[in-house]
């Protein structure tokens, strides 16, 4: 084993960074044996230097992250600050100064992954980010390496623990969205401002990263269709139950049937209770991968949290250090297929539509005609008179597979019918 240590700069020492530092210290001997050289924590960049940080030598702490990554003797920079800036500049500067980089930053990778990969390639360094998608769950390396000989057709995942916790609560207790969110906040599963999670921004960033790697093309955050889950109601769950389904916020990346394009989207969807993703409870994450030769694979585990996320960071750190000792680099960006990302209108799936309609003869036929005129075939229809006798009925229509564009046309036409008082909800049905 080499005795000269590999020097690691840690940018950020919060929830994830503090766990990375702890594991580096407590498992120093094992890590050295696995890598072939000891690791040395050479510096820790933070915002508040006076804060007491257990197990961290105060002499290593600095607020000048730029000077740290410019030192020139750093082998690996671990970026766990988060956000776009200064993380982007720090990673770029680190690569320019000869360091390889491990990051957990989904937002940055989804937005600027191509430029960062280009910088890593130009300087002959590694850029690894297993922790950026679904925390501890090994996903990027399996897609990039284990499935490199296969053809992935579909990635379907629960990649946000906060929203899965909320939806699971609504499902199991009949609670409304706000009540379930309040409980998630009280238990520390949701942040004070939950927008990034509940509006699907966090999941969309992960979908962009997954789609790019799965289909060997470039998918940016802006390419991902996104709908949050704040509009999901207890009534939607009741409807889902009647269909033998539950509701999950899903990230779905698909290759088109003709293989000529891909789509990436995040939205709530009904999935059958028999689907493996339906049994993913609480704040857990799971990703279901369908590929030509392997068939169906499921990856499951904790998608967040300091120690689980640090596990993924440490895995990357070991891999990058091994590469460094061998004078090589691991796989970089693979975007050779250059498959375009199709708009949401071209996505084909099934739909569950709840309508409030006038409770009188002929309405059902009128509604059915609208679907037929737009080429959307109906699978089942269920009509229920309201017990309060207000002259309205609820009509639930489940369609066969149709394009999102056709469904949008149907909904517009339905809204213009006098007998349709309102479109109560539209939910896609996935995983069948
Ligand atoms: N938390 C999770 O469960 C989880 C899961 C997967 C991925 N991630 C990703 O991991 C990254 C870190 O998340 P986290 O939860 O550990 O965040 P965090 O707890 O907020 O920690 C951020 C750290 O960055 C430091 N920092 C902030 N701005 C800085 C600056 N300008 N210069 C130097 N240091 C700065 C902070 O310093 P102070 O300590 O002085 O405030 C803090 O130590 C993010 O990209 C996140 O998306 C997190």
């Amino acid at each position: 084993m080499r005795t000269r240590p590999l020097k690691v700069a840690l940018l950020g020492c919060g929830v994830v960074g503090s766990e990375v530092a702890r594991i580096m210290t407590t498992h120093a001997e094992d890590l050295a044996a696995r890598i072939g050289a000891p690791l040395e924590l050479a510096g820790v960049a933070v915002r508040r230097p006076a804060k007491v940080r257990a197990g961290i030598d105060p002499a290593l702490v600095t607020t000048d992250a730029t000077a740290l990554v410019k030192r020139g003797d750093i082998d690996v920079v671990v970026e766990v600050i988060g956000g776009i800036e200064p993380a982007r500049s720090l990673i770029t500067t680190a690569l320019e100064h000869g360091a390889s980089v491990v990051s957990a930053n989904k937002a940055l990778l989804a937005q600027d992954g191509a430029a960062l990969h280009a910088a890593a390639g130009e300087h002959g360094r590694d850029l690894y980010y297993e922790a950026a998608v679904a925390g501890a769950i090994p996903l990027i390396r399996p897609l990039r390496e284990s499935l490199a000989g296969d053809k992935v057709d579909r990635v379907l995942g629960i990649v946000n623990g906060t929203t899965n916790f909320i939806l699971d609560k609504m499902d199991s207790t009949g609670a409304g969205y706000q009540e379930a969110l309040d409980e998630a906040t009280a238990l520390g599963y949701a942040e004070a401002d939950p927008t990034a999670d509940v509006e699907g921004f966090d999941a969309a960033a992960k979908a962009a990263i997954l789609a790019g790697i799965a289909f060997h093309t470039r998918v940016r955050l802006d390419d991902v269709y996104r709908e949050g889950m704040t509009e999901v109601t207890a009534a939607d769950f009741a409807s889902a139950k009647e269909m033998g389904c539950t509701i999950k916020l899903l990230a779905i990346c698909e290759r088109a049937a003709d293989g000529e394009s891909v789509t990436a989207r995040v939205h709530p969807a009904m999935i059958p209770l028999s689907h493996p993703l339906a049994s993913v409870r609480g704040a857990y994450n799971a990703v279901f991968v369908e590929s030509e030769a392997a068939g169906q694979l499921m990856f499951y585990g904790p998608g967040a949290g300091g120690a689980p996320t640090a596990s993924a960071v440490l895995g990357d750190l070991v891999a990058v250090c091994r590469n460094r000792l061998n004078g090589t680099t691991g796989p970089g960006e693979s975007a050779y297929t250059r498959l375009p990302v199709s708009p949401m209108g071209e996505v084909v799936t099934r739909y569950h539509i709840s309508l409030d309609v006038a409770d009188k003869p002929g309405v059902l036929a009128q509604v059915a005609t609208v679907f037929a005129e737009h080429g959307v075939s109906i699978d089942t229809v269920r009509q229920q008179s309201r017990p309060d006798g207000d002259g309205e009925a609820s009509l639930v229509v489940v369609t066969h597979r149709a394009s999102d564009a056709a469904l949008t046309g149907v909904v517009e036409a339905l809204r213009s019918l006098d007998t349709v008082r309102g479109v109560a909800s539209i939910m896609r049905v996935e995983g069948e």
Side-chain angles (χ1 to χ4, degrees), residues 142-159:
L143 281 171
R144 183 174 275 163
E145 298 183 30
S146 317
L147 292 167
D150 205 340
K151 178 171 167 252
V152 174
D153 291 317
R154 197 159 191 245
V155 179
L156 187 71
I158 296 167
V159 292

Side-chain angles (χ1 to χ4, degrees), residues 163 167 177 194-201 203-204 225-232 247-250 266-269 426-428:
T163 48
L167 291 171
Y177 165 72
T195 310
D197 294 320
V198 299
E199 295 295 352
F201 291 103
Y225 173 84
R226 179 193 53 78
E227 240 177 66
M229 43 74 74
T230 56
E231 307 286 309
V232 177
I247 299 170
K248 297 288 187 189
L249 183 76
L250 296 179
V266 168
H267 54 71
I426 305 162
M427 186 98 48
R428 298 173 184 90

Side-chain angles (χ1 to χ4, degrees), residues 21-34:
R22 182 186 65 76
I23 298 172
M24 274 181 68
T25 309
T26 54
H27 296 303
E29 279 183 27
D30 285 324
L31 291 169
R34 291 170 198 175

Side-chain angles (χ1 to χ4, degrees), residues 108-120 127 218-220 333 335:
L108 179 59
L109 265 305
Q111 186 180 302
D112 287 319
L116 295 175
H117 273 295
L127 171 63
R218 209 165 266 171
V219 180
R220 285 174 49 95
E333 185 188 29

Side-chain angles (χ1 to χ4, degrees), residues 12-16 46-48 53 80-82 86 104-106 304-305 309:
C13 193
V15 174
V16 179
V46 297
R47 210 172 16 188
R48 297 165 295 164
R53 298 171 201 269
V80 277
I81 292 176
N105 195 331
K106 70 215 106 181
T309 308

